[in-house]
Amino acid sequence: MRLLRDPALDFSSRARNLETTLAPNEPMDAYTARDLVRGSSALRRAGEPLETITSNPSGARRRPAYVSRVWGARIPSGSVFQVREGLWCSGPELTALELAGSLSELELTVLLCEMMGTYSVAPGYQGGMAQRAKPLTDPARLTVFLREVGGVKGSRALEKALKLAVAESASPMETKLVLRLCLPAAKKGFGLKLLSMNKPLEVERLGASTNDRGIRKPDILIAPWPGSDANPVAIEYDGEECHMTREGVLSDTVRGNELKAMGIGEYRVNREIYRNINYMEYLVEKVREEAGYPRRHRSAEDALRRKREHVELYKELARIGNVV
C-alpha cells in the first residue's frame, strides 16, 4: 500500500470482498509463489518473502520465497481487495491486525497514525514520504473491523494501539510530535488533550473586505481544560521543505495572525526545537498555562522522573523509522 505509483495496489479503486469470507484452504507452495510474483510487478517490487494466509490448520510454511500462515477466523467484508483475477491483498485494517503480533505498542500506534493520516512513508521520495489524497482507513472503520473479526490473535493489541493513535496527521514528524504531546503520562507523554489535527477552521481574513472568511488547518489543536474559559492552542510543525521559502514564511505569519485574532495562540516547532528536550518541557508548560490546565504541584524528584520518561519516549520514537 506504500507503493503509491503502482495502480495494481491502489486499493481504494479496486473491488473489495463484499461478504465475510474465509482464507483459502490450500496453503502456499513454491510453484504458486513463483507464478504469482512473475505475474505481478507489484509483488516483485514488494520483495520476498511473499506472505500469505490459509485456513488449513496444517498449512503453516516458512520458506525463503514465501510464508504461509494459518488464519482460522473469518475475514470481514471490505478487508481485502482484488489485485487481479485470483489474487487478493490485505486491506489496511487486516494488515494492521496481521502486524500487531510483531510490533511493539508504540510501533503499532505510529503505523496506525500513518494509515489514518494523509501521508505514506516512502523512502524513494523526497523527504522520505509522500502525500495521500485521503487516509487509508479511519478510527470508525477500524473499530467496526475489530468488532467483526472477534478476539483473534493480535486484536487486543490493535485495540489498545487504536486508543492511542490519532487521525489526520500529515507527516511522520507530525505523528511523532503529537504522540509526545498527547500520549498520557502512563505512556510517557505530556498528557495534553488533542482537539483536532489538520481540521478546517474558519477564520477572518485580516485586511480583507468586511466578513471575508477563510479556512486554516492548524497542524495540532490542543483542547482547553474542561470548565476553564481558555481557548484552544495551536501547535505547528515547520518542515524544512515548505516553511523556509519567502512565500512559506509569509503564509505562516498570516496564519498565525488570523488564529491570534480568534483568540487561539500558536506555537511553532521545527526539527531543532523537537530535539531540544529542555525547550520542549518549557513549551508544553506554556501551552498548558494558555489552555487553562490546572497548575501542577510536583516534587523535584517527581519532575525529574517525568522528564526522564519524556526522554525515553523521544528516544523510542527516534528508533521507529519506517515501522515495517
Side-chain angles (χ1 to χ4, degrees):
M1 284 179 284
R2 284 174 171 163
L3 302 179
L4 301 180
R5 292 175 179 169
D6 196 323
L9 288 184
D10 179 15
F11 80 96
S12 62
S13 62
R14 307 193 71 84
R16 295 207 190 192
N17 59 320
L18 298 179
E19 298 179 354
T20 300
T21 59
L22 280 172
N25 183 262
E26 202 65 32
M28 182 57 61
D29 58 63
Y31 299 105
T32 304
R34 180 197 61 193
D35 291 344
L36 286 174
V37 172
R38 284 179 177 177
S40 171
S41 62
L43 293 183
R44 286 197 299 273
R45 290 175 63 196
E48 295 181 341
L50 177 67
E51 297 197 20
T52 65
I53 56 177
T54 175
S55 59
N56 191 321
S58 59
R61 307 280 190 277
R62 182 168 291 276
R63 305 287 187 270
Y66 68 92
V67 174
S68 177
R69 294 185 290 104
V70 176
W71 183 271
R74 289 192 172 272
I75 301 172
S77 61
S79 299
V80 295
F81 63 96
Q82 191 172 36
V83 176
R84 58 179 173 81
E85 184 67 30
L87 179 60
W88 295 74
C89 181
S90 300
E93 300 85 14
L94 183 56
T95 297
L97 179 61
E98 291 177 296
L99 290 169
S102 59
L103 300 178
S104 70
E105 182 177 77
L106 186 60
E107 288 173 326
L108 186 57
T109 299
V110 170
L111 182 62
L112 288 180
C113 290
E114 177 185 348
M115 288 182 167
M116 296 190 298
T118 55
Y119 68 93
S120 178
V121 172
Y125 285 64
Q126 183 178 3
M129 58 161 280
Q131 296 296 146
R132 290 189 181 276
K134 60 182 181 179
L136 296 173
T137 187
D138 56 52
R141 288 201 302 218
L142 281 159
T143 299
V144 171
F145 170 81
L146 281 167
R147 184 172 63 245
E148 293 183 356
V149 81
V152 300
K153 182 180 179 182
S155 60
R156 182 59 180 150
L158 183 57
E159 184 179 5
K160 288 182 177 180
L162 180 57
K163 291 178 180 178
L164 302 175
V166 298
E168 303 294 341
S169 175
S171 74
M173 285 305 298
E174 278 188 23
T175 290
K176 293 184 177 183
L177 175 60
V178 75
L179 290 178
R180 287 180 69 188
L181 294 172
C182 297
L183 281 180
K187 300 297 182 181
K188 305 176 185 177
F190 284 103
L192 299 176
K193 303 299 181 183
L194 180 66
L195 186 60
S196 66
M197 286 197 75
N198 296 296
K199 289 290 187 183
L201 188 67
E202 190 178 70
V203 298
E204 180 182 350
R205 294 294 194 193
L206 299 185
S209 59
T210 305
N211 296 325
D212 188 11
R213 312 292 287 181
I215 297 295
R216 292 298 182 184
K217 297 180 179 180
D219 292 347
I220 300 169
L221 199 58
I222 300 299
W225 188 261
S228 72
D229 58 357
N231 291 325
V233 177
I235 301 176
E236 297 289 328
Y237 182 78
D238 289 347
E240 298 174 2
E241 299 81 12
C242 59
H243 292 275
M244 299 308 294
T245 64
R246 181 176 181 276
E247 293 78 10
V249 171
L250 176 60
S251 176
D252 291 342
T253 302
V254 171
R255 180 186 60 240
N257 289 341
E258 290 172 347
L259 291 174
K260 190 66 176 177
M262 295 179 62
I264 297 177
E266 182 186 58
Y267 291 86
R268 314 196 66 83
V269 176
N270 58 22
R271 190 174 295 271
E272 287 69 31
I273 290 176
Y274 177 89
R275 293 171 174 171
N276 189 324
I277 302 299
N278 291 330
Y279 194 100
M280 286 294 295
E281 296 279 334
Y282 174 79
L283 184 145
V284 169
E285 284 304 311
K286 300 306 292 183
V287 171
R288 284 177 55 88
E289 180 182 323
E290 193 165 332
Y293 283 56
R295 186 180 297 275
R296 295 179 293 189
H297 301 282
R298 298 188 303 193
S299 66
E301 182 180 355
D302 185 50
L304 183 59
R305 177 185 60 81
R306 292 290 296 122
K307 185 175 181 178
R308 283 198 298 264
E309 291 174 345
H310 296 158
V311 172
E312 289 172 6
L313 177 60
Y314 165 80
K315 291 181 177 179
E316 289 170 13
L317 287 168
R319 287 191 289 267
I320 297 177
N322 295 344
V323 183
V324 292

